[in-house]
Amino acid sequence: MEKRVVFKNRVLPYILVAPQIVVTVLFFIWPASQALVQSFLQEDAFGTASAFVWFDNFADLFAGAEYLDSFRVTLTFSSAVAGAALSVALLLAVMADRALRSATVYKTLIIWPYAVAPVVAGVLWFFLFNPTVGMLAFFMKKAGLDWNHTLNGTQAMTLVIIAAAWREISYNFLFFLAGLQAIPHSFIEAAAIDGAGPWRRFWTIVFPLLSPTMFFLIVVNIVYAFFDTFGVIHAITRGGPNYATNILVYKVFNDGFINLDLGGSAAQSVMLMIVVITLTVVQFRFIERKVHY
Amino acid sequence: MKHLRNLRMALAVIAIMVLPGFAMAAPVTVNWWHAHGGALGEKVNEICDGFNKSQNQYQVVPTYKGNYSDTMNAGIAAFRAKTPPHILQVFEVGTATMMAAKGAIKPVYEVMKESGLPFDPGAYLPTVAGYYTTRDGKMLSMPFNSSTPVLYYNKDMFRKAGLDPEKPPISWPVLAEIAKKLVAAGVCKAGFSSAWNGWIQIENLSAWHNLPIGTKDNGFGGLDAVYTFNGPLQVKHFQQLADWQKEKIFVYGGRTNVGNAKFSSGEVAMYTESSAGYAGFKKTCQFDFGTAMLPYWPDVKGAPQNTIIGGASLWVLQGHKAADYKGVAAFFNYLSKPEVMADWHQATGYLPITLAAYELTRKQGFYAKNPGTETSLKQMTLHKPTENSKGLRFGDHAKTRDIMDNEFEAIFAGKKTAKQGLDDAVKAGNESLRKFEKANK
């Protein structure tokens, strides 16, 4: 028995995938190849003088400590953002799934932050934690904690992680909730009758059944943390203090669009592309094996 | 019926093809991309309106393109796509980048010469024009909005602490004494803070003490210049700032001018910020404040010299018809009129770029009515500018400012000494300069 759909018309399948291919070529392949070309060039901002320099831009990157340091910072930042966004979202989703009254209100409220653009979220958190006029900073100072993320690197990192994860929690929440609702109640009830407590039921039944959702979200969250967060950094810390929050994607933006070093910035984009492709391949090859569909 | 429709179509096509011919009689359009939003943007529109109404040959169309970096990027992208604006506003640290792009820009002195309109570089404030002029006196871009840092101080706090509100500190040691008294009297949490630390506490500190921040006349002499802002005075100044944090004489306010809230909310009593910040403080400060010249170190010979500017100038881009450049020249001519510049200066707190506009503002009694607004001008024109105090011209200087900010944070957090921090900043800055030199050979 052939389960696959078979197209009789030879042209139709190509027409059907054509829009997707056009979009991919236009918005991914073409810009990515432009970045690749640019990364081998050294030119002035206006492009009036351009020289092919082989791997000079890449060599420059690895000559200084700043770029390697940025890798370390990115690793901390990305894993913390993905970890925080996933765990908090899972907790909220499990709670909301069990809520009996006004469940819709909770859900709506939790989904709201996703409508806020990263840079706006950054500005919001910036004001809350502003050492001079911020509400939260004020209460922390009352409680004896000297909050000054303009000089304290650890505090700055904590702040940008919160700001970046906050928005992603809504997104994860939505998927977790859908995943939870797809789990048949009979499984859980059967386990309950067998005497399994809520904790045990969660880890032995719910969590494994959520693994496809979990896997999808891990991939999406890591890509988000790597690529989509420069707005947050730009609004809150600009990579400081003393490079403490200088993540790779912010450096790409800053070197390319603020400092106009197009070759260097393109070389960093290529590096970033390689990192994310590697990460995604690793995830699909090794983590996906543990996923039960 | 069908014939009639075809005829109509043909007529429409002909009309479309012929119409631009009629449009030739209409004024020549000059596009100006700028970085002034909000109230400043309205003022820019007002200036253009004034010019457009003053004659009927040219029409200047101002377009707001976002902040300085956005505007510069928009201009660069448009040039690469072969549809550049005629006039592009570029911030002062982008000067070297613009200069190096020889095929992309048309120097202002050339634009003015070709137009045949009267143009006297000597009419502009020397410290303003000097920033945008080559060593042999050729003006490359039109100065527009320039400012210089001054010291703002909270007069009410001075009174509460029993100090004379008309006696702001003139030197750094005096500032420290006053700060201690203010903090001891409990009127503020810390004595002073600063906006734009790279611009104010390095670049202007150096010019104010007649010291260079780099070789080759602060980069005016060529692309092979190197930074030298890790000299004894700069190191001493930053070590002092770092040490002063313990006694609450100084507190770090963050990058750019986010620290402005420290002054307007009364956390600090004194604050160094651009003279263009005056209007903002007038609006946000619920207290009486004054302005004073930047403090200096009295043990340095020749201090105080004069301060340098920040802000932006107008660059003319290549790729347009000769007639268009005549329009640009006519507009620059209008912009430099004393009435126009004096009005811009009085409305915004930016410097008047011509001596005549300065004179006119004084005659109108503006400075007498608004005490504190003349401080910046007095400070700029204190002495004839020297090689060290006429400005600076380093490639990708925006990047160096970023490097400085990062190192200052290490110094103020106690992770590095002032010497280590400034040495590292100079080293990283020089790497960036060499890269710029290589790309712009």
Side-chain angles (χ1 to χ4, degrees):
Chain A
M1 258 258 295
E2 181 69 271
K3 264 191 180 169
R4 281 186 301 166
V5 182
V6 178
F7 288 98
K8 293 221 172 74
N9 189 326
R10 280 174 165 268
V11 191
L12 186 64
Y14 295 102
I15 294 175
L16 290 178
V17 294
Q20 186 56 41
I21 289 183
V22 168
V23 167
T24 311
V25 169
L26 213 61
F27 293 100
F28 179 70
I29 310 282
W30 185 51
S33 62
Q34 288 281 309
L36 200 62
V37 171
Q38 188 86 53
S39 69
F40 291 108
L41 299 177
Q42 201 159 54
E43 59 179 21
D44 70 303
F46 284 86
T48 51
S50 180
F52 189 82
V53 293
W54 288 107
F55 291 93
D56 273 16
N57 288 323
F58 292 91
D60 283 351
L61 282 183
F62 290 98
E66 193 199 337
Y67 191 60
L68 294 177
D69 196 52
S70 179
F71 260 104
R72 190 185 53 74
V73 170
T74 309
L75 212 64
T76 317
F77 174 79
S78 302
S79 48
V81 168
L86 286 168
S87 51
V88 175
L90 184 58
L91 186 71
L92 288 173
V94 171
M95 301 294 213
D97 193 37
R98 292 160 60 140
L100 298 174
R101 259 191 254 167
S102 14
T104 331
V105 179
Y106 294 134
K107 288 175 208 165
T108 314
L109 286 178
I110 295 171
I111 293 163
W112 264 1
Y114 195 62
V116 179
V119 66
V120 177
V123 172
L124 263 166
W125 288 99
F126 172 79
F127 274 115
L128 283 173
F129 281 93
N130 183 304
T132 306
V133 294
M135 282 244 294
L136 290 179
F138 175 79
F139 288 121
M140 278 190 286
K141 273 182 189 162
K142 281 260 146 136
L145 179 70
D146 186 20
W147 180 268
N148 186 5
H149 70 263
T150 57
L151 275 186
N152 186 319
T154 319
Q155 290 178 358
M157 183 55 118
T158 314
L159 178 53
V160 290
I161 289 170
I162 294 174
W166 174 68
R167 192 177 161 272
E168 204 60 7
I169 289 173
S170 310
Y171 181 83
N172 296 348
F173 170 78
L174 213 65
F175 278 87
F176 277 136
L177 194 64
L180 285 170
Q181 285 174 349
I183 296 173
H185 270 278
S186 51
F187 289 6
I188 297 164
E189 278 157 14
I193 290 165
D194 288 344
W199 188 252
R200 181 109 194 246
R201 288 201 299 267
F202 177 78
W203 287 112
T204 51
I205 298 175
V206 178
F207 193 74
L209 285 171
L210 264 184
S211 62
T213 313
M214 192 68 164
F215 174 68
F216 164 76
L217 287 177
I218 288 175
V219 175
V220 169
N221 276 254
I222 285 182
V223 170
Y224 165 80
F226 263 87
F227 278 115
D228 235 7
T229 42
F230 80 91
V232 170
I233 304 278
H234 191 57
I236 301 180
T237 62
R238 289 170 186 257
N242 190 225
Y243 305 109
T245 56
N246 191 29
I247 60 169
L248 290 167
V249 68
Y250 182 69
K251 211 174 131 53
V252 169
F253 163 77
N254 201 40
D255 284 357
F257 290 96
I258 307 287
N259 301 332
L260 298 172
D261 173 12
L262 299 177
S265 173
Q268 292 173 41
S269 301
V270 172
M271 288 304 303
L272 199 55
M273 207 149 46
I274 294 171
V275 168
V276 173
I277 290 172
T278 318
L279 269 178
T280 311
V281 168
V282 166
Q283 284 165 347
F284 272 92
R285 298 251 346 188
F286 299 102
I287 302 181
E288 204 191 13
R289 284 190 195 162
K290 301 210 170 109
V291 171
H292 313 274
Y293 285 103
Chain B
M1 253 336 253
K2 211 172 181 188
H3 283 287
L4 197 64
R5 203 197 278 158
N6 282 350
L7 189 69
R8 268 198 209 142
M9 279 293 282
L11 277 176
V13 168
I14 290 167
I16 286 165
M17 284 166 72
V18 169
L19 267 177
F22 289 115
M24 287 299 276
V28 171
T29 300
V30 172
N31 290 310
W32 173 18
W33 289 4
H34 66 83
H36 291 306
L40 285 174
E42 280 161 33
K43 200 74 205 164
V44 165
N45 293 342
E46 211 181 298
I47 292 175
C48 294
D49 262 2
F51 171 73
N52 293 341
K53 282 188 188 132
S54 73
Q55 43 74 48
N56 51 21
Q57 271 182 294
Y58 310 106
Q59 188 84 18
V60 173
V61 182
T63 310
Y64 171 61
K65 286 280 169 184
N67 66 28
Y68 285 138
S69 298
D70 296 338
T71 306
M72 191 165 174
N73 277 314
I76 288 170
F79 178 82
R80 282 170 170 252
K82 306 216 180 338
T83 53
H86 299 79
I87 305 170
L88 182 67
Q89 185 182 21
V90 177
F91 56 173
E92 90 281 8
V93 288
T95 303
T97 305
M98 298 303 289
M99 268 189 67
K102 289 204 181 62
I105 56 144
K106 195 169 167 71
V108 160
Y109 78 92
E110 221 176 278
V111 173
M112 297 313 283
K113 206 167 93 189
E114 285 169 12
S115 74
L117 289 166
F119 175 64
D120 173 22
Y124 299 85
L125 286 183
T127 11
V128 175
Y131 208 107
Y132 305 115
T133 303
T134 60
R135 283 214 287 195
D136 49 355
K138 287 172 176 161
M139 200 192 268
L140 298 172
S141 64
M142 189 52 136
F144 179 57
N145 58 319
S146 300
S147 60
T148 200
V150 292
L151 178 76
Y152 293 85
Y153 67 101
N154 188 323
K155 287 189 178 176
D156 286 357
M157 283 184 182
F158 272 55
R159 282 189 200 104
K160 265 187 231 157
L163 297 159
D164 184 351
E166 298 314 317
K167 268 198 184 154
I170 53 159
S171 73
W172 288 109
V174 174
L175 180 137
E177 282 314 306
I178 288 182
K180 272 188 216 160
K181 279 182 197 153
L182 288 163
V183 174
V187 294
C188 55
K189 282 192 202 140
F192 107 101
S193 188
S194 178
W196 313 106
N197 286 289
W199 180 53
I200 298 177
Q201 307 298 346
I202 285 284
E203 293 164 25
N204 271 290
L205 174 94
S206 305
W208 197 222
H209 294 84
N210 196 15
L211 292 165
I213 72 158
T215 60
K216 296 256 166 181
D217 291 359
N218 273 347
F220 276 70
L223 290 180
D224 52 342
V226 291
Y227 287 119
T228 58
F229 57 79
N230 53 349
L233 178 76
Q234 291 96 338
V235 168
K236 172 187 159 182
H237 186 67
F238 269 87
Q239 196 57 56
Q240 191 66 81
L241 290 179
D243 293 346
W244 275 346
Q245 292 180 112
K246 282 167 220 132
E247 294 166 89
K248 302 274 176 215
I249 293 170
F250 170 73
V251 62
Y252 179 60
R255 295 185 183 192
T256 67
N257 60 356
V258 293
N260 285 14
K262 284 199 186 310
F263 183 69
S264 56
S265 72
E267 188 184 328
V268 298
M270 294 172 279
Y271 191 68
T272 47
E273 150 75 327
S274 157
S275 57
Y278 186 84
F281 282 144
K282 257 286 178 263
K283 223 183 262 173
T284 51
C285 293
Q286 309 269 334
F287 49 79
D288 186 18
F289 70 86
T291 63
M293 292 195 198
L294 287 186
Y296 61 93
W297 289 101
D299 51 339
V300 176
K301 243 179 86 184
Q305 170 58 38
N306 66 278
T307 52
I308 55 174
I309 55 161
S313 68
L314 307 181
W315 288 82
V316 185
L317 297 187
Q318 290 278 13
H320 297 283
K321 289 188 286 255
D324 292 19
Y325 289 120
K326 281 212 165 131
V328 172
F331 178 60
F332 283 173
N333 212 21
Y334 177 83
L335 207 55
S336 308
K337 280 191 179 170
E339 316 85 79
V340 177
M341 248 313 127
D343 179 46
W344 167 253
H345 162 54
Q346 292 167 22
T348 62
Y350 281 114
L351 302 166
I353 53 164
T354 61
L355 293 161
Y358 181 16
E359 209 43 56
L360 180 67
T361 306
R362 191 180 321 183
K363 263 195 223 137
Q364 289 169 339
F366 180 78
Y367 301 125
K369 261 182 272 166
N370 301 279
T373 47
E374 202 185 357
T375 309
S376 56
L377 280 145
K378 285 186 181 155
Q379 185 178 278
M380 292 284 300
T381 51
L382 197 58
H383 295 288
K384 194 172 178 296
T386 67
E387 267 79 58
N388 301 328
S389 70
K390 72 170 177 173
L392 39 107
R393 189 165 299 156
F394 297 99
D396 281 344
H397 193 62
K399 178 163 185 169
T400 306
R401 288 240 180 111
D402 200 41
I403 293 168
M404 285 188 202
D405 274 332
N406 275 303
E407 293 304 333
F408 297 162
E409 284 158 355
I411 294 171
F412 294 147
K415 276 198 239 158
K416 288 181 183 175
T417 64
K419 176 95 181 97
Q420 281 166 342
L422 293 185
D423 282 353
D424 289 349
V426 163
K427 192 169 157 266
N430 284 336
E431 277 165 19
S432 154
L433 283 183
R434 293 294 72 78
K435 201 165 178 188
F436 182 83
E437 189 186 1
K438 222 163 97 184
N440 287 283
K441 247 182 202 157

